[in-house]
Amino acid sequence: MIPTGELGSSSRPVRVAIIGAGPSGFYAAGALLQQKDAHVTIDIFDRLPTPYGLVRYGVAPDHQKIKSVTRIYERTMKDSRVRYFGNVNLGTDISHADLKAYYDQIIYAVGAQSDRKLDIPGEDLGGSFSATEFVAWYNGHPDFRHYEFDLTVESVAVIGVGNVAMDVTRILAKSVDELKTTDITDYALEELRESKVRRIHIFARRGPVQAKFTNPEIKELGELEVADVIVNPADLVLDEASQAELAEDRTAQRNMETLRELAERGSTGKPKQIIFHFLRSPTEISGSGGTVSAMKTEKNALYATETGYLSCRGTGTYKEFDVGLIFRSIGYRGVPIPGVPFYDRWGIIPNERGRVTAEHGGAVVSGEYAVGWAKRGPTGVIGTNKPDAVETVKMMMEDVKSAAIPAVGAIGTAANGQQSPQPGGQNGRVDNIVAFLRERGAAFVSFADWQILEQIENERGAQRGQPRVKITDVKEMLRLIRTAKEGVAP
Ligand code: NAP
C-alpha cells in the first residue's frame, strides 16, 4: 500500500488524462481501474463530443455486432473515478503544457488519423481519395460529412487488400436494401441509392497468400446480393515461396480456400462485379478536367528479402484501367501532436512498451504514455488494444511505485477531491480542470450529455428500423444537448 499523502494513495490518487476516447483509450481506463495498489482518477478527453472513436467512425455500418463492444466502455464510465470531456481539442482548448500542469500521467490514445500515400503521379487528382475519407464520410464523422464522392462513375479502383479495403468494397457493392437497416448516414445512403458503380477493381501489390484481409471479410464479399466476385484462377497459382508461407499461415489457407471457391464460381450474372487483381501496383493516375479517368498499373513479381519477407517488384509489363474513382486503402498513419514526440518514419509516437520516448530509441519522457495505434501503428483488431493497454498501464504503475514521475504541484493537488461550486461536474468530483475549460470557453460535453445524444440517435433509429440515426454536425449535437437539458423539445 502506498502511504497516505503520497502519489497513488487514497488521499492523493494518480491523476491520469487520456487523450482520445476510442477503444485504446477505454481499454487503458479499464486497465487503470483494475489496479489494486494505486488509487487513480481518470479524465478522458476527445476532440469530438461523441466517444468511441473508430468504433463509431471506422467500423463498417453493416458490422453492428462489433460495435456492441461499447457496452464495456459504458461500464468503465459508470465508475465514479472516470470522467469524460468531449468536444475538447488538444492544441486549442487545452495545451500539452496545461495537461502537464494538471495531470501526473498522460496517455495518448489518439489513433492514426491520417493515411499513407502511394507517391505516384496523379494521386492528388479529383476523385482520388483515401479509403479513410470515404469510411469517415459514410460513417458520419463531422469532419468528413461534406465530402463529395462521384458515385455516378461505372468503375472504381480500391488499392490494397486489408480489411479496410474489404469494408469500402462491400459498401460500394451492396444494395440499398442491404444497407438501409444499418446505421450508415442518410446522405451516404442517398448517394449510394443513385450509384452507377458496376465494377470495383481491387489491386493487391503482392499475391493472394500475402493478402491482409481476414477470412470472414473475404467470405462476406462472396455473399452479396447484387455483386459477383471475379478471381482469375491464374492468380491463385503459387510460386514456391508463397506455398511455403501458406503452409505456416492458417488465415492465408482459409483465404486461399475462399478465393478458389470464388474463382470457380465466377460471374453469376449479378449486376455488379468485384474484380481482384493480384501482383499489380498502380504506377500513375491520369485524369481529364482535373478528375481521375484512368490508372496505369504494373505487373509485379515476388522476391524474398534478406529477412525472408516476400516483397514485390515491377516486371515492366503495364496495363491501364479506366476508372473514375480511386480509394487508396494502404494503411493509416499517425499525425503529430504539438509538444509530443513523433517518429515520422513509422507515423507513431515513439515509445518503449508504452512509455513515450523523446525520439525513436531515445530517453523516456517522464509521465507520458501511448496506447493503441498511436503506440504500435495501425494494426490489429479492436480487441488487440486490450493487451496493448494493459502493457502500458503496467509501465505507468511501475513508474508510480518507483517514483519515476513527480506528482504535479499545487494545481493538481489543491483542488483534488474538493466539491466545486460549479455545476456541470460529473460524479461529484469536480476540480480545476472544469473551471479551466470553462474559462477557456470550451463547450465540453460530459458522458451524461453524450448519453442524451445517444438516446436521441437510438430513438430516431428505432422509428426507422435502424440501430441509430447518427447526428453528424457538432453544432447540432451541442444544440440538442442544450435543449434537452433545458427541458425543451428539440
Ligand atoms: P492493412 O491490413 O495493413 O492493409 C493494407 C494493405 O495495403 C495491404 O494489402 C498492403 O499490402 C497494401 N499496401 C500498403 N502499401 C501499399 C502500396 N504502396 N501499394 C499497394 N498496396 C499497398 O491495413 P488496413 O486495411 O488499413 O487495416 C488496418 C487495421 O485495421 C488492420 O489490422 C485491419 O485488420 C483492421 N481492421 C479490421 C476490420 C475488421 O475486423 N473487420 C475492419 C477494418 C480494419 P502489403 O501487404 O504488400 O504491405
Side-chain angles (χ1 to χ4, degrees):
M1 269 300 145
I2 297 170
T4 306
E6 282 189 20
L7 187 65
S9 64
S10 58
S11 60
R12 178 59 178 90
V14 185
R15 302 169 59 113
V16 180
I18 298 180
I19 313 303
S24 65
F26 273 105
Y27 285 124
L32 280 165
L33 292 178
Q34 288 191 350
Q35 298 310 308
K36 298 272 178 277
D37 297 342
H39 291 264
V40 294
T41 60
I42 304 164
D43 288 343
I44 305 179
F45 295 88
D46 201 285
R47 72 188 182 90
L48 290 176
T50 50
Y52 309 141
L54 274 191
V55 175
R56 182 174 164 99
Y57 296 118
V59 171
D62 57 345
H63 280 177
Q64 284 301 314
K65 258 198 207 152
I66 299 179
K67 295 187 189 228
S68 58
V69 70
T70 55
R71 287 197 206 115
I72 297 171
Y73 311 151
E74 276 167 8
R75 234 175 284 147
T76 298
M77 285 312 304
K78 282 204 178 113
D79 194 299
S80 60
R81 294 170 288 173
V82 191
R83 301 184 298 185
Y84 175 67
F85 293 95
N87 202 36
V88 176
N89 192 23
L90 174 56
T92 49
D93 297 316
I94 193 163
S95 70
H96 175 252
D98 299 328
L99 287 175
K100 290 294 266 185
Y102 280 97
Y103 296 96
D104 306 304
Q105 296 184 317
I106 305 163
I107 304 179
Y108 301 105
V110 292
Q113 290 170 36
S114 182
D115 52 274
R116 290 206 200 116
K117 299 284 268 181
L118 283 164
D119 287 328
I120 59 170
E123 192 170 6
D124 296 323
L125 280 168
S128 163
F129 294 98
S130 74
T132 60
E133 291 170 314
F134 189 53
V135 169
W137 173 74
Y138 63 61
N139 274 329
H141 190 297
D143 295 352
F144 294 85
R145 58 196 286 268
H146 298 297
Y147 271 59
E148 286 180 12
F149 301 93
D150 181 7
L151 300 178
T152 63
V153 302
E154 280 207 358
S155 292
V156 175
V158 175
I159 321 293
V161 279
N163 280 335
V164 172
M166 296 301 102
D167 285 348
V168 164
T169 301
R170 221 174 46 252
I171 298 301
L172 287 167
K174 275 196 165 180
S175 67
V176 166
D177 276 350
E178 286 171 295
L179 291 172
K180 70 183 184 199
T181 52
T182 72
D183 65 355
I184 193 165
T185 49
D186 287 353
Y187 58 74
L189 195 63
E190 280 322 300
E191 290 294 317
L192 288 162
R193 194 186 296 281
E194 303 300 319
S195 167
K196 299 278 181 294
V197 173
R198 291 293 167 265
R199 279 175 303 281
I200 303 152
H201 295 279
I202 304 182
F203 293 91
R205 65 176 169 182
R206 299 190 292 153
V209 173
Q210 292 80 34
K212 291 266 172 66
F213 48 68
T214 38
N215 195 245
E217 278 66 27
I218 181 69
K219 268 194 163 158
E220 223 178 334
L221 280 195
E223 292 159 3
L224 302 183
E225 241 173 54
V226 293
D228 282 322
V229 180
I230 310 297
V231 178
N232 181 355
D235 279 353
L236 305 183
V237 178
L238 304 178
D239 62 3
E240 249 177 56
S242 290
Q243 283 178 33
E245 203 168 271
L246 184 67
E248 302 294 318
D249 185 339
R250 195 65 198 108
T251 299
Q253 289 166 21
R254 288 200 195 103
N255 286 349
M256 279 302 286
E257 240 169 70
T258 309
L259 288 167
R260 285 205 180 98
E261 281 167 26
L262 292 168
E264 216 166 279
R265 191 194 306 166
S267 171
T268 65
K270 290 179 183 173
K272 296 187 191 182
Q273 293 197 323
I274 297 165
I275 308 160
F276 275 90
H277 304 272
F278 287 100
L279 287 167
R280 198 167 274 288
S281 281
T283 54
E284 188 175 348
I285 298 169
S286 45
S288 60
T291 306
V292 168
S293 60
M295 189 174 83
K296 191 173 168 187
T297 65
E298 185 176 15
K299 189 73 187 165
N300 292 333
L302 293 175
Y303 71 96
T305 64
E306 275 172 13
T307 60
Y309 174 82
L310 289 185
S311 189
C312 61
R313 60 182 154 222
T315 60
T317 314
Y318 295 89
K319 186 173 174 183
E320 193 166 86
F321 292 82
D322 290 337
V323 290
L325 205 49
I326 295 176
F327 294 113
R328 290 188 308 276
S329 186
I330 61 169
Y332 289 72
R333 227 188 109 73
V335 175
I337 305 171
V340 182
F342 188 69
Y343 183 42
D344 193 60
R345 192 156 163 227
W346 294 355
I348 62 164
I349 296 172
N351 69 91
E352 181 61 45
R353 287 185 296 163
R355 287 185 178 111
V356 173
T357 55
E359 56 194 358
H360 180 57
V364 165
V365 177
S366 166
E368 299 189 41
Y369 305 85
V371 289
W373 282 4
K375 169 186 173 185
R376 66 175 193 277
T379 59
V381 293
I382 289 167
T384 314
N385 293 302
K386 199 174 174 184
D388 174 295
V390 166
E391 180 189 58
T392 297
V393 167
K394 191 164 172 260
M395 300 303 123
M396 294 170 71
M397 291 300 114
E398 275 179 16
D399 292 349
V400 169
K401 280 179 211 152
S402 66
I405 50 155
V408 293
I411 302 173
T413 43
N416 192 35
Q418 281 183 11
Q419 202 64 32
S420 165
Q422 316 227 24
Q426 302 156 54
N427 309 330
R429 186 177 63 79
V430 186
D431 53 39
N432 277 352
I433 200 73
V434 172
F436 172 87
L437 290 172
R438 284 182 196 284
E439 218 169 87
R440 279 284 165 97
F444 62 86
V445 166
S446 71
F447 200 71
D449 292 342
W450 149 247
Q451 286 177 314
I452 292 172
L453 268 189
E454 190 182 33
Q455 198 186 339
I456 295 171
E457 289 191 342
N458 291 349
E459 281 169 6
R460 289 179 181 177
Q463 284 166 18
R464 290 161 36 171
Q466 290 179 276
R468 64 188 64 74
V469 175
K470 282 185 187 173
I471 298 150
T472 59
D473 178 46
V474 170
K475 275 198 190 127
E476 175 66 357
M477 290 180 191
L478 300 180
R479 189 189 69 79
L480 286 168
I481 293 168
R482 212 170 37 242
T483 47
K485 282 162 96 172
E486 286 164 1
V488 186

